[in-house]
Amino acid sequence: MSKKSHKNKTHIDVTDAANVEEISASGKLKNKTYEKELRKLHEELVKLQEWVRHEGLKVCIVFEGRDGAGKGGTIKAITERVSPRVFRVIALPAPTERERSQMYGQRFIPHFPAAGEVVIWDRSWYNRAGVERVMGFCSEEQAKRFLEMVPGFEKQMVDSGIILMKYWLEVSMEEQTRRLEGRIDDGRKIWKLSPMDLKSYSRWYDYSRARDEMFAATDTAWAPWYVARSDDKKRARLNIIRHLLGRIPYEVLPREKVELPKRQKSDDYREPDYPFKMVPEAY
């Protein structure tokens, strides 16, 4: 079915502009308000998902930012109500010895989206412009060569039909400190505070210089950077989801009303008298 069949619903305005303005002008977002707005956006993400599958779109979304900027929480907010078969999250570990010997960027390419997929990168090939450069895992020459190469690399992605979106989450120095300190005594978050994170924390201005040079070299017409202020995590999540829904044209596909069918008759089936090993009900 072609796009012409559904012209009535393209590029849906997911949230009333006046309402968004009102929310942004208020104080800290209440959970109730956040959940209400997020539910609306989740419904739109499901519509986008169905359109991506129907049209065979290939979508690639890159998230970058300093430690503690809120990338993981934003990605979780995007993906928690959609299918992991369509929305795939890629968070690659440090490269192996073999991968270090490959052309830079080679290990990322196998994870690029096929038709009907949205691939979300929790950090990406831009590691070379940020952590690798600042922490000395690559030479200055390698970093500069990467910045020269990326615009052409991303142009090839876009020319091949990939919809590429790049988000930088901008967190303030004070808020980053508050968040990282909050991980120290929290057993749920201590895994997020590695020795590398601590070293990175001390090099704020080195990261600022690397970020500035990255923007200057790779903020192109075909693959621009979008910056989201993330000191307020909830607002950042809502703003980013709303923005990406507005940047990817999609339409609402017609759906038949769903009704549950009648269950089959038991035909004398009886529950077995079997000694199941039950999970203890401690709660």
Side-chain angles (χ1 to χ4, degrees):
M1 194 178 295
S2 70
K3 293 183 182 180
K4 292 180 182 178
S5 304
H6 307 289
K7 280 198 169 183
N8 57 324
K9 291 281 190 175
T10 55
H11 239 116
I12 295 170
D13 183 10
V14 297
T15 310
D16 179 71
N19 187 35
V20 171
E21 186 68 28
E22 180 182 314
I23 293 170
S24 300
S26 66
K28 204 168 183 65
L29 275 183
K30 294 180 180 179
N31 280 336
K32 185 176 180 180
T33 303
Y34 170 68
E35 293 296 338
K36 179 183 176 183
E37 295 301 315
L38 187 60
R39 181 186 177 94
K40 295 179 192 175
L41 296 173
H42 279 160
E43 290 177 0
E44 294 302 321
L45 283 169
V46 170
K47 295 172 188 176
L48 171 64
Q49 170 183 271
E50 298 308 299
W51 184 252
V52 166
R53 293 173 61 185
H54 180 268
E55 292 293 293
L57 300 183
K58 298 178 290 184
V59 182
C60 197
I61 307 173
V62 170
F63 283 97
E64 294 287 344
R66 302 177 195 267
D67 294 326
K71 298 180 293 297
T74 300
I75 292 170
K76 183 178 179 181
I78 293 170
T79 59
E80 63 183 343
R81 296 295 180 176
V82 291
S83 170
R85 294 182 181 86
V86 178
F87 281 73
R88 295 193 293 113
V89 178
I90 307 297
L92 296 182
T96 63
E97 284 299 320
R98 181 176 183 276
E99 288 170 335
R100 289 191 188 98
S101 71
Q102 294 175 342
M103 176 187 72
Y104 188 77
Q106 186 173 336
R107 73 186 186 121
F108 300 100
I109 294 173
H111 300 282
F112 281 7
E117 292 182 343
V118 179
V119 171
I120 299 177
W121 293 88
D122 186 354
R123 294 196 181 279
S124 63
W125 46 95
Y126 280 100
N127 275 350
R128 175 137 294 183
V131 64
E132 288 191 15
R133 185 179 195 182
V134 173
M135 303 306 294
F137 296 140
C138 71
S139 67
E140 193 63 18
E141 180 182 352
Q142 287 174 316
K144 289 186 178 296
R145 174 66 188 131
F146 168 79
L147 292 175
E148 292 172 359
M149 172 271 292
V150 167
F153 175 68
E154 292 178 345
K155 185 70 162 61
Q156 288 184 330
M157 291 175 65
V158 173
D159 287 347
S160 76
I162 293 175
I163 298 171
L164 176 60
M165 302 186 67
K166 303 185 302 190
Y167 289 101
W168 175 271
L169 274 63
E170 184 65 25
V171 66
S172 68
M173 188 183 294
E174 296 76 18
E175 181 61 17
Q176 185 195 47
T177 298
R178 190 189 71 79
R179 291 178 186 175
L180 296 185
E181 285 179 343
R183 296 176 180 178
I184 295 173
D185 298 317
D186 191 332
R188 303 165 301 169
K189 299 178 181 179
I190 190 63
W191 63 274
K192 293 183 175 183
L193 202 57
S194 68
M196 185 59 59
D197 295 330
L198 297 175
K199 290 181 182 177
S200 296
Y201 173 79
S202 67
R203 301 186 180 182
W204 176 273
Y205 293 107
D206 287 342
Y207 273 99
S208 294
R209 294 183 187 96
R211 176 204 59 196
D212 296 347
E213 194 166 340
M214 180 188 77
F215 282 168
T218 65
D219 184 21
T220 58
W222 54 90
W225 278 104
Y226 297 103
V227 178
R229 288 192 290 268
S230 65
D231 276 11
D232 186 324
K233 289 181 181 180
K234 293 175 182 174
R235 275 206 186 89
R237 293 167 192 167
L238 297 178
N239 288 331
I240 288 170
I241 296 173
R242 183 172 185 268
H243 181 268
L244 73 86
L245 285 167
R247 297 293 302 180
I248 305 174
Y250 68 99
E251 303 173 17
V252 179
L253 293 172
R255 264 186 178 277
E256 292 183 6
K257 186 177 180 180
V258 177
E259 291 185 6
L260 293 177
K262 291 182 178 179
R263 292 191 191 274
Q264 65 182 155
K265 294 181 179 180
S266 64
D267 293 331
D268 298 324
Y269 174 80
R270 296 289 183 271
E271 290 290 340
D273 184 16
Y274 184 83
F276 292 108
K277 298 173 181 67
M278 301 299 293
V279 175
E281 295 181 349
Y283 299 96

